[in-house]
């Protein structure tokens, strides 16, 4: 994913007007936002230094992956000038200074104790994701909602399902928001795992096959999907509304646990109970 650093910085420069940071606009500009020279001036670095940073090169000239010479102070200064939020600032550090990571198994395994824990959540759909947003494990009530046990490995990839399966647009009534959220989170994962070839291949595949993905990926939005509310239009149970939380599994930062918990006494809770009974019925 070469060029992500430069594209990200340019996209953030473009959204800031000169007058917002106390600079004269100098009339009409060829491109919106701040010039590279202005970012360098406000960040307190030389223009040449900032240009090399935006081109993805270290301050000494060689590739940034070899030099590793961009300091926290410089990145924080640039983040301040570009008015990055906390998530965007963390993304800038990750993509500007990729860290070599220990090789992980291509097919990570979920610890048995984690499976026991989610199985005990009999009223909350819960499942485990890997660093590529692929579902690794789930409990019975999640299977009743999402049908993971009947899906192929590729179909359990959330980005592939969202962008490549037409059924996703019916399943997610708020599909545009879900799609944007998926891309924003996938971009964060890609920044932190730049040596993951399967993750890079996933981004390439979706870019080739989905115009919506290409458009959203080019926006360079980054956003954590830690919690929120998800609306699902289930073909049997109807509309399900779930508050959800995302937790990092201790001892394995590459895996996360998503738990969808219906509001007590809600229609979703009632429908989920009926769906669970239907799914476990032998007559099904």
């Amino acid at each position: 994913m070469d060029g992500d650093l430069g594209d990200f910085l340019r996209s953030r420069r473009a959204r800031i007007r000169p007058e917002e940071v106390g600079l004269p606009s100098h009339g009409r500009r060829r491109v919106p936002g701040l010039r590279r020279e202005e970012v360098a001036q406000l960040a307190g670095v030389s223009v040449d230094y900032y240009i090399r940073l935006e081109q993805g090169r270290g301050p000494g000239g060689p590739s940034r992956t070899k030099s590793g010479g961009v300091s926290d102070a410089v990145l924080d200064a640039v983040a301040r000038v570009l008015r990055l939020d906390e998530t965007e600032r963390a993304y800038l550090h990750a993509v500007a200074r990729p860290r070599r990571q220990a090789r992980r198994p291509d097919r990570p395994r979920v610890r048995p104790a984690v499976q026991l824990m989610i199985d005990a959540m009999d009223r909350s759909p819960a499942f485990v994701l890997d660093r590529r947003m692929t579902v690794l494990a789930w409990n019975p009530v999640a299977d009743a909602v999402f049908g993971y046990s009947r899906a192929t490995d590729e179909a359990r990839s959330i980005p592939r399902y969202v962008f490549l399966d037409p059924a996703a647009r019916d399943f997610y009534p708020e599909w545009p928001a879900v799609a944007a959220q998926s891309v924003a989170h996938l971009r964060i994962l890609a920044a932190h795992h730049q040596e993951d070839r399967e993750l890079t291949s996933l981004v390439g595949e979706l870019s080739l096959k989905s115009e919506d993905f290409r458009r959203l990926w080019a926006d360079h939005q980054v956003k954590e999907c830690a919690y929120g509310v998800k609306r699902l239009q289930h073909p049997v149970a109807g509309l399900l509304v779930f508050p959800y939380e995302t937790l990092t599994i201790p001892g394995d930062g590459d895996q996360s646990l998503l738990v969808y918990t219906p509001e007590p006494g809600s229609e979703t809770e009632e429908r989920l109970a009926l769906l669970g009974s239907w799914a476990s019925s032998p007559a099904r």
Side-chain angles (χ1 to χ4, degrees), residues 217-232:
W217 189 259
D219 286 343
H220 288 268
Q221 296 301 316
V222 290
K223 184 179 180 181
E224 295 281 2
C225 305
Y227 58 90
V229 176
K230 196 65 65 69
R231 294 163 57 87
L232 311 175

Side-chain angles (χ1 to χ4, degrees), residues 20-62:
E20 290 183 279
V21 292
L23 293 174
S25 61
H26 294 301
R28 191 171 182 179
R29 296 183 170 220
R30 290 186 304 166
V31 293
L34 297 178
R35 298 187 177 100
R36 292 182 296 187
E37 296 82 359
E38 292 167 336
V39 176
Q41 174 189 343
L42 293 169
V45 299
S46 71
V47 175
D48 183 60
Y49 188 108
Y50 179 78
I51 289 174
R52 286 200 301 268
L53 177 63
E54 199 166 280
Q55 290 175 343
R57 296 184 290 131

